[in-house]
Amino acid sequence: MIEVDTMRDVKKSVDRVIEFLTCTLFLLMVAVASWQVLSRFILKNPSTFTEELLRYSLIWLAMLAAAYVVGKNEHIAITFLRDRLIEESRIKLDILIQSIFLLFSAIIMVYGGAKAASLTMAQISPALHVPMGFVYLALPVSGVFILFYSTTNILELLHKKKKVTVIKQRNAS
């Protein structure tokens, strides 16, 4: 089985990559939005590409941030049932939830997103003149990150479950 410490190190590295990408995208969006305001209201010559670049950047930012949130286990969750469970059952529920994330990201985001990206590569965006497939590529890329994070989350939960079982057996004897 994969060493837990090695897995955590890889996860931290992936976290840093996504943090860098999302922060860079956010800074780019602030600069582009500032240029849009400056060119429209001060120069009286609105920029033609800024709105489209902001829209596509926001799509990428949101998809990468969603993957990051899954990795941090900070996604939106209704914890009413989970909070009432004992530790062992809570871990089983968390494994089920991560498994659903895994299936969704594999089927919908990676497979479906790759199909959508390939189908739209010939379609060119009006202002930026880039293939629309690059915009849709945000789905499979973030899907791969979610696959990675869900897998590492499941492995960490299985490790935690093993610890709980050992403690439970010690207390029983």
Side-chain angles (χ1 to χ4, degrees):
M1 191 166 177
I2 297 174
E3 186 92 24
V4 175
D5 293 332
T6 306
M7 182 182 58
R8 286 188 184 130
D9 290 341
V10 172
K11 189 175 179 180
K12 283 180 187 176
S13 297
V14 172
D15 285 346
R16 283 193 291 271
V17 167
I18 293 180
E19 287 166 359
F20 174 78
L21 290 173
T22 54
C23 287
T24 303
L25 263 175
F26 189 71
L27 288 173
L28 172 75
M29 290 173 66
V30 168
V32 170
S34 299
W35 172 249
Q36 184 176 23
V37 170
L38 178 78
S39 68
R40 177 169 288 158
F41 294 111
I42 296 175
L43 301 176
K44 305 290 186 205
N45 186 13
S47 180
T48 57
F49 73 93
T50 52
E51 188 175 329
E52 193 170 281
L53 181 59
L54 284 169
R55 187 178 319 121
Y56 300 156
S57 297
L58 182 61
I59 291 168
W60 271 91
L61 180 70
M63 297 309 296
L64 290 172
Y68 182 76
V69 167
V70 169
K72 295 290 183 184
N73 273 320
E74 297 289 329
H75 47 81
I76 295 174
I78 299 170
T79 60
F80 178 75
L81 173 65
R82 185 184 179 278
D83 292 343
R84 296 190 182 327
L85 297 174
I86 60 171
E87 184 70 16
E88 200 171 347
S89 297
R90 190 177 305 150
I91 292 171
K92 288 177 184 176
L93 179 63
D94 288 344
I95 290 171
L96 175 67
I97 290 167
Q98 290 299 322
S99 299
I100 292 169
F101 276 153
L102 200 77
L103 278 170
F104 178 82
S105 62
I107 296 168
I108 304 297
M109 296 181 78
V110 175
Y111 177 74
K115 274 189 146 325
S118 68
L119 287 172
T120 56
M121 277 298 179
Q123 183 182 352
I124 305 298
S125 71
L128 293 175
H129 305 290
V130 296
M132 288 301 294
F134 290 141
V135 177
Y136 286 96
L137 206 56
L139 275 170
V141 168
S142 63
V144 167
F145 282 124
I146 291 173
L147 280 173
F148 168 76
Y149 280 131
S150 292
T151 302
T152 57
N153 289 343
I154 288 170
L155 291 173
E156 285 178 359
L157 287 164
L158 290 171
H159 181 72
K160 187 177 179 180
K161 184 179 177 193
K162 192 188 307 182
K163 277 184 178 179
V164 168
T165 305
V166 168
I167 292 169
K168 192 175 176 182
Q169 287 172 349
R170 252 189 235 147
N171 291 340
S173 41

